[in-house]
Amino acid sequence: MQHRLAFLQHDTPFPPVECALPDGLLAVGGDLSVGRLSSAYYQGIFPWYNESDPILWWSPDPRMVLDCEAFKVSRSLGKKCRQIARQEALSDAPIQVLINANFLTIMANCANARAEGTWISTEVMRGYYGLHRVGQAHSIEVWRGSQLMGGLYGVSVGRFFVGESMFYRETDGSKIAVYYLVQLLKRHGIQHIDCQQSTTHLRSLGAANIRREEFLQRLYAARDLPSVFWPAGQLFADGRIRPFNPCLENID
């Protein structure tokens, strides 16, 4: 199939991902509506662009994916997570891991964590908050009392998960979030996390590059399976959630 860049209007569908340029760029334009974002992730496409640029849509080949069973837990991380787990049910637990309690806060911290600049603009936050409100985008949050240690957010597509961004304020803060995310996914029969692009950090956690064709096979096998409802609440080390009513967030 010929490589060609598509230019999207509001109602223009995405071209086949095989049309992407060699660097993975597939299309330009469109919007970040819930419908457009959902369609993109359903097809293995994601947006990534600088704030001053038009929206750029990508489907790289190869693709970095973390098999939950291949997640590497270092000795120090394993020890720290076991310590958290032993105390997590206590009302005064020193560290708690939450899910979907402060989604916008997590996105803002992911944006602020990058000294070289970020693609997570207000426009992007609005788009993903829309996905969050319909139950497709989720945050994992590691708290020491009222202080954030780290966290991540991503998008669920049926029984597949796409990791978008993570940050840490304390050592291992983001790794603890990934550890708890993996336990949650495994509890619900979700096998893979799409990491999108290759980094040394992700490889250290067990992620590996695979051909786009293989990635799409995995995605297609999982995307039409029933989605899992993940309420706001406390996330435990065995993947259980204790729900609670979150504070209302306002992006304006």
Side-chain angles (χ1 to χ4, degrees):
M1 186 171 291
Q2 183 179 5
H3 299 301
R4 55 183 175 84
L5 187 62
F7 293 88
L8 307 179
Q9 300 300 320
H10 178 70
D11 57 352
T12 309
F14 288 108
V17 296
E18 293 80 8
C19 293
L21 302 180
D23 63 357
L25 182 59
L26 176 69
V28 178
D31 55 48
L32 298 180
S33 64
V34 169
R36 173 69 76 178
L37 284 169
S38 294
S39 174
Y41 283 100
Y42 192 78
Q43 298 173 70
I45 303 164
F46 61 89
W48 184 46
Y49 62 103
N50 294 321
E51 187 171 7
S52 59
D53 295 334
I55 301 173
L56 304 178
W57 301 91
W58 302 79
S59 182
D61 187 13
R63 189 84 162 228
M64 177 154 275
V65 174
L66 174 61
D67 185 325
C68 289
E69 295 297 338
F71 176 53
K72 294 180 181 178
V73 182
S74 68
R75 182 177 299 179
S76 61
L77 177 62
K79 180 180 179 180
K80 187 172 292 187
C81 289
R82 289 191 296 272
Q83 291 173 339
I84 295 171
R86 282 195 292 268
Q87 298 178 302
E88 62 186 7
L90 302 176
S91 59
D92 60 347
I95 296 175
Q96 290 188 330
V97 181
L98 307 183
I99 180 172
N100 291 332
N102 302 272
F103 183 82
L104 288 175
T105 298
I106 297 304
M107 283 201 73
N109 275 271
C110 286
N112 294 334
R114 285 150 179 79
E116 71 277 10
T118 179
W119 76 283
I120 306 174
S121 63
T122 300
E123 178 185 35
V124 170
M125 291 182 69
R126 288 181 185 279
Y128 283 84
Y129 187 50
L131 280 186
H132 173 66
R133 295 191 63 169
V134 298
Q136 286 186 258
H138 309 282
S139 59
I140 307 294
E141 314 159 15
V142 184
W143 292 86
R144 185 188 298 277
S146 61
Q147 301 299 312
L148 264 175
M149 293 177 61
L152 61 84
Y153 75 96
V155 177
S156 57
V157 186
R159 294 296 175 96
F160 204 90
F161 192 84
V162 182
E164 278 296 320
S165 187
M166 67 179 81
F167 77 96
Y168 68 91
R169 289 183 177 174
E170 295 187 26
T171 301
D172 289 337
S174 60
K175 292 181 181 179
I176 294 169
V178 176
Y179 177 92
Y180 273 73
L181 171 64
V182 168
Q183 310 317 308
L184 173 70
L185 298 181
K186 289 168 68 174
R187 185 178 182 90
H188 292 281
I190 298 174
Q191 295 179 293
H192 300 106
I193 301 173
D194 173 21
C195 302
Q196 299 179 343
Q197 300 186 48
S198 179
T199 69
T200 301
H201 174 62
L202 291 169
R203 284 195 296 273
S204 73
L205 298 178
N209 281 325
I210 61 175
R211 292 179 297 109
R212 181 170 56 207
E213 181 181 359
E214 182 180 352
F215 162 75
L216 292 174
Q217 288 174 352
R218 295 182 183 184
L219 172 65
Y220 294 165
R223 67 183 186 182
D224 293 324
L225 297 176
S227 297
V228 180
F229 172 64
W230 291 328
Q234 182 180 359
L235 178 58
F236 293 104
D238 61 1
R240 290 179 299 117
I241 299 172
R242 180 165 64 189
F244 57 64
N245 292 323
C247 298
L248 294 177
E249 296 181 284
N250 189 344
I251 196 171
D252 296 321

